[in-house]
Amino acid sequence: MKKNLTYDYIVVGTGPAGAVIAKSLTDDKRTSVLVLESGGNHDKDQPIRDSTFAPELEEQFSPNYFWQGEGVPQTGLDDRTFEWTTGRLLGGGSSINGEQYVRPTAAVLRKWERLLGPIWSPDKALRRFKRLEKFNGSTTNKAAHGYKGRIDIRQAPENPTSMARKLTNAIERATGYPIILDYNDPDTPLGPFTRWQLYQQPDGRRESSSTAFLSSDIMTALGKGVHNRKLTVLFRTTALRVLFSGKRAIGVEFLKDGQCICAYARKKVIISAGINSPQLLMLSGIGSAKMLKKAGIPVVFNNPNVGQRLKNHTLNFAVFSTNPNDHPLPAVDPDALYTGGAFLPDPSGNAPGQRGVQLVGIGADGQLTIAILYLRPRSKGNIRIQSKDPLNIVLADEGFLSDPDDLEAVKQIYRTYIKNIALELSRIDPSYQLLSPTLDMIDDDESLEAFIKENFDHNHHQQGFLRMAPLSKGGVVDRKGNVHGVKDLIVADASIVPFTVDRNTSAAAYLIGYTIARQLGKKRNPPKKRRTRTEWGEE
C-alpha cells in the first residue's frame, strides 16, 4: 500500500453498476481504475456459485456475504423491525439475490425520459439491455433480446412442471390475462408465465456482476498479456469519505487492514455502494446542513434531498396445499428456482395496463407459496446518519405502509387476485386449497389487515433515495449521475432511480451503470464514425 495510489477513476462498490463501469472504463487500455470492495471474492464458494442456494442466502444473511444491520421500527407494521443489509462481497447484491432478471417496463422508462431527457428513453434502454445480455431462452420477439452481451440470462425451466402449469392456468382464468412466454418483451409485460428469466449461466450457475464483468481473466490482465488492463480491485476495504479540494472530488479515504489510506482520482470518483451510498455522501459533507453540522461534519454542499424518498416494494404471501404427485421444479433442473409467476396491473384500477403486482410461485415441503409484491407503493422512507463515525450504522426508516393507500392496495390484491386464483386453482385440482390466509380471513377486513401486517416481509428493492432529478425536484444527482453542487463526483446504482421500477432493481442498476459508463466513454473518446459491432454485442 506504499505505492502511489493515484488513478484516473475510483469506483466504490462492485454491484451491477460499479462492475459495469469499472470494466467499461478499463476497456480503454490507457485508463486506470481503482475499485474498492468491502468484502472478498467468493465467486467459487458453493453457496454463491450454486443457484439452488439463492433462496437460502436471502434468509440466513451470513456475515461472510452480507452487511449486518437492522432498520428502525416500522410504525405502519406495529413497530416491527427488518434487516438493513445487502451483499458485502464481490458482485454486491447481484451475488446473493434471487436471480430474477426483470427489466423496467416502457411505462416506467417513459416517466424517466419525461424527467431526464431522451438518454433514458425506452428505445435507448432496450438497445442497452440488448448489448448487455446474452439471452438463452425462447421468445416470440427475437428483437427484444441481445445474444452477444456479457450477462448470461437463462429462461427456466425449459419444461415446466404440472404445478407451474396449474398455477398459471388458474391465474389466467382468475384475471383474464393470457399466459405469456416472455415478460421482458416490451409487447407482453402483463400476464402469467411458467418460465422465469434468471441471472444464470447455461449450466445453471449464478451469473453476477462479478462473473460477468470482473471475472478472473479481466482482473488479472494487468501486465499479463496483450490486454494490459489498468484495473486494480482492493478487497476488504471500507470507504470512509470522499476527499474534496474545494468543491471538487479528488479521492477516497478508506480503511484496510486497520489503516486509513487515501487514494486519489485524476478524473472522477464514482460511488456505486447501493444502500451505503447515502451514508458515504453524508460523511463526505453532502446532505442536510443541519444534520451534518449536528454530527460535526464540515458541509461541502447543503442538499436536504440526500437520503430522502426511499422506496421499497411490499412483500406478502399466500400458502396453498398441493397435489402430492406434483413437483414444484423438474428433477433435472433444480436451478429453475421458481414455480411460475405473473405480472398484473393494480386491481384497484390505478394505472390500468401497467404493472402493479408481481406474483412469484415458490414450491417446497408439499406446499405452494405465492409471494405477492405490490410494485406501486406510495409510502416513503429516509436514511439518516447517527454520527460522523463511518462505522456507525445509519438510521434507515423504510416507512412501510406509512401511506394508508398501500395497505388498501395489498388488501385489494388478496380480495381480487388471491381469492379468485384460489377458487380457480381448486377447480383445476381440488388438492390445491388456500391455507393462509383463509378465504374467511380475506372476507373480513380487520382479519385481513392484521394478517398482512403480521406476515409482511422485507423486500430488498430499496431505491430512489439519491434521486436522479433536478435539484428543485428532489434531486441529488443529474441525469448523468453527477452529484449536484460539486464536481467530478458521480453516483451510479439503484439509489438514483427517479421513479420506482416495476420489479427487481438489479436490471435497472445494470442499465444505470452502462448508461453512465457510455457517457464517460464519450467524453474520453468522441466517436469518429458509427461502429457496427462492439464487444458488448450488437450496436
Side-chain angles (χ1 to χ4, degrees):
M1 303 302 295
K2 293 182 180 179
K3 66 180 181 180
N4 180 23
L5 292 179
T6 301
Y7 301 80
D8 293 319
Y9 297 89
I10 298 175
V11 178
V12 180
T14 60
V20 170
I21 290 172
K23 194 272 179 188
S24 178
L25 290 174
T26 55
D27 283 343
D28 181 344
K29 306 310 183 290
R30 300 166 296 178
T31 301
S32 61
V33 175
L34 171 66
V35 180
L36 302 177
E37 169 52 51
S38 60
N41 182 353
H42 295 284
D43 284 353
K44 294 183 179 180
D45 290 10
Q46 185 179 10
I48 303 302
R49 183 186 70 249
D50 187 342
S51 293
T52 59
F53 282 82
E56 183 179 326
L57 279 171
E58 291 198 321
E59 293 177 359
Q60 294 184 347
F61 305 111
S62 164
N64 288 334
Y65 308 132
F66 288 82
W67 288 94
Q68 302 296 292
E70 188 174 69
V72 304
Q74 297 295 284
T75 56
L77 294 170
D78 301 326
D79 287 337
R80 291 178 60 201
T81 58
F82 298 91
E83 68 276 358
W84 180 254
T85 184
T86 189
R88 191 183 187 206
L89 72 172
L90 189 66
S94 72
S95 290
I96 47 83
N97 66 16
E99 300 188 353
Q100 295 174 7
Y101 173 60
V102 189
R103 303 171 184 161
T105 63
V108 167
L109 291 166
R110 278 192 289 269
K111 293 173 67 176
W112 291 26
E113 182 183 17
R114 285 194 292 270
L115 177 67
L116 303 168
I119 186 178
W120 296 103
S121 71
D123 288 343
K124 289 188 176 180
L126 177 59
R127 289 199 293 271
R128 289 169 189 157
F129 277 126
K130 290 170 64 176
R131 294 184 189 123
L132 285 166
E133 73 182 18
K134 185 189 298 182
F135 182 66
N136 175 18
S138 299
T139 179
T140 56
N141 180 10
K142 290 188 178 297
H145 292 280
Y147 303 90
K148 298 179 181 179
R150 294 195 64 89
I151 307 174
D152 271 302
I153 303 298
R154 188 174 80 98
Q155 191 183 45
E158 186 173 350
N159 297 302
T161 63
S162 57
M163 186 182 295
R165 289 194 296 270
K166 289 175 181 177
L167 173 61
T168 51
N169 285 333
I171 296 173
E172 180 179 44
R173 294 183 188 182
T175 66
Y177 284 90
I179 293 173
I180 59 175
L181 175 61
D182 178 7
Y183 56 75
N184 276 325
D185 178 352
D187 295 332
T188 57
L190 294 171
F193 48 87
T194 57
R195 301 179 66 184
W196 281 90
Q197 295 177 36
L198 304 173
Y199 290 105
Q200 289 183 4
Q201 298 169 22
D203 62 2
R205 286 180 299 168
R206 177 187 290 274
E207 181 79 301
S208 65
S209 61
S210 169
T211 58
F213 297 100
L214 295 176
S215 52
S216 58
D217 60 309
I218 292 173
M219 291 206 297
T220 59
L222 178 60
K224 296 182 180 180
V226 296
H227 296 293
N228 200 30
R229 186 183 298 272
K230 296 180 180 179
L231 173 65
T232 301
V233 180
L234 295 182
F235 294 102
R236 297 178 179 84
T237 61
T238 301
L240 303 177
R241 64 187 177 109
V242 177
L243 303 171
F244 284 93
S245 175
K247 297 284 187 180
R248 178 177 177 265
I250 60 170
V252 176
E253 181 181 28
F254 60 93
L255 185 67
K256 182 171 177 61
D257 298 329
Q259 290 185 305
C260 286
I261 300 166
C262 294
Y264 298 92
R266 299 183 188 94
K267 296 183 178 180
K268 292 183 185 294
V269 173
I270 301 165
I271 300 174
S272 298
I275 63 172
N276 295 317
S277 290
Q279 182 182 26
L280 188 53
L281 281 189
M282 289 183 275
L283 292 170
S284 306
I286 301 172
S288 163
K290 181 179 179 181
M291 180 176 60
L292 296 178
K293 290 176 180 177
K294 183 178 180 180
I297 299 172
V299 178
V300 175
F301 182 69
N302 174 26
N303 187 346
N305 300 321
V306 173
Q308 301 300 307
R309 296 174 180 264
L310 168 62
K311 287 285 194 81
N312 201 340
H313 302 139
T314 67
L315 177 59
N316 289 93
F317 302 94
V319 181
F320 294 78
S321 62
T322 64
N323 188 320
N325 296 317
D326 290 347
H327 301 285
L329 300 172
V332 296
D333 192 5
D335 295 318
L337 298 182
Y338 305 105
T339 308
F343 287 106
L344 302 167
D346 187 332
S348 66
N350 180 30
Q354 298 182 27
R355 285 183 186 168
V357 177
Q358 182 178 8
L359 305 179
V360 184
I362 306 169
D365 301 324
Q367 294 182 334
L368 173 63
T369 298
I370 298 180
I372 304 162
L373 294 88
Y374 180 54
L375 305 176
R376 305 179 64 84
R378 295 189 178 186
S379 300
K380 298 176 184 177
N382 60 78
I383 302 169
R384 295 172 290 130
I385 56 171
Q386 298 190 69
S387 71
K388 64 180 179 180
D389 181 355
L391 303 183
N392 199 353
I393 190 173
V394 297
L395 296 173
D397 181 358
E398 301 200 57
F400 287 127
L401 303 187
S402 57
D403 189 312
D405 286 348
D406 289 350
L407 179 57
E408 290 303 315
V410 177
K411 286 157 65 175
Q412 193 64 25
I413 294 169
Y414 277 100
R415 291 173 183 145
T416 304
Y417 290 148
I418 298 302
K419 182 177 180 178
N420 290 332
I421 290 168
L423 294 173
E424 294 297 338
L425 193 51
S426 66
R427 291 189 180 113
I428 293 171
D429 185 339
S431 300
Y432 288 79
Q433 297 293 323
L434 183 60
L435 303 177
S436 175
T438 64
L439 292 174
D440 288 342
M441 292 173 68
I442 291 177
D443 289 335
D444 182 82
D445 188 74
E446 186 175 338
S447 296
L448 179 59
E449 186 169 312
F451 174 84
I452 290 170
K453 291 183 177 182
E454 290 170 5
N455 293 275
F456 193 97
D457 204 352
H458 187 276
N459 203 353
H460 302 97
H461 295 170
Q462 299 99 329
Q463 55 195 290
F465 41 89
L466 297 176
R467 191 180 193 221
M468 180 167 46
L471 190 62
S472 61
K473 295 184 178 180
V476 176
V477 304
D478 68 11
R479 64 191 179 96
K480 297 181 180 180
N482 299 295
V483 177
H484 291 309
V486 297
K487 296 180 179 179
D488 296 335
L489 179 61
I490 288 174
V491 178
D493 54 36
S495 70
I496 72 173
V497 164
F499 294 102
T500 312
V501 298
D502 42 6
R503 196 23 182 131
N504 313 65
T505 56
S506 57
Y510 278 115
L511 174 67
I512 287 168
Y514 183 41
T515 301
I516 289 174
R518 286 178 60 84
Q519 299 305 309
L520 292 171
K522 288 179 181 178
K523 290 184 178 180
R524 294 195 322 273
N525 300 306
K528 296 180 181 179
K529 62 181 180 178
R530 180 173 176 81
R531 295 168 292 174
T532 57
R533 177 72 61 84
T534 74
E535 71 166 297
W536 298 89
E538 298 127 0
E539 185 67 33

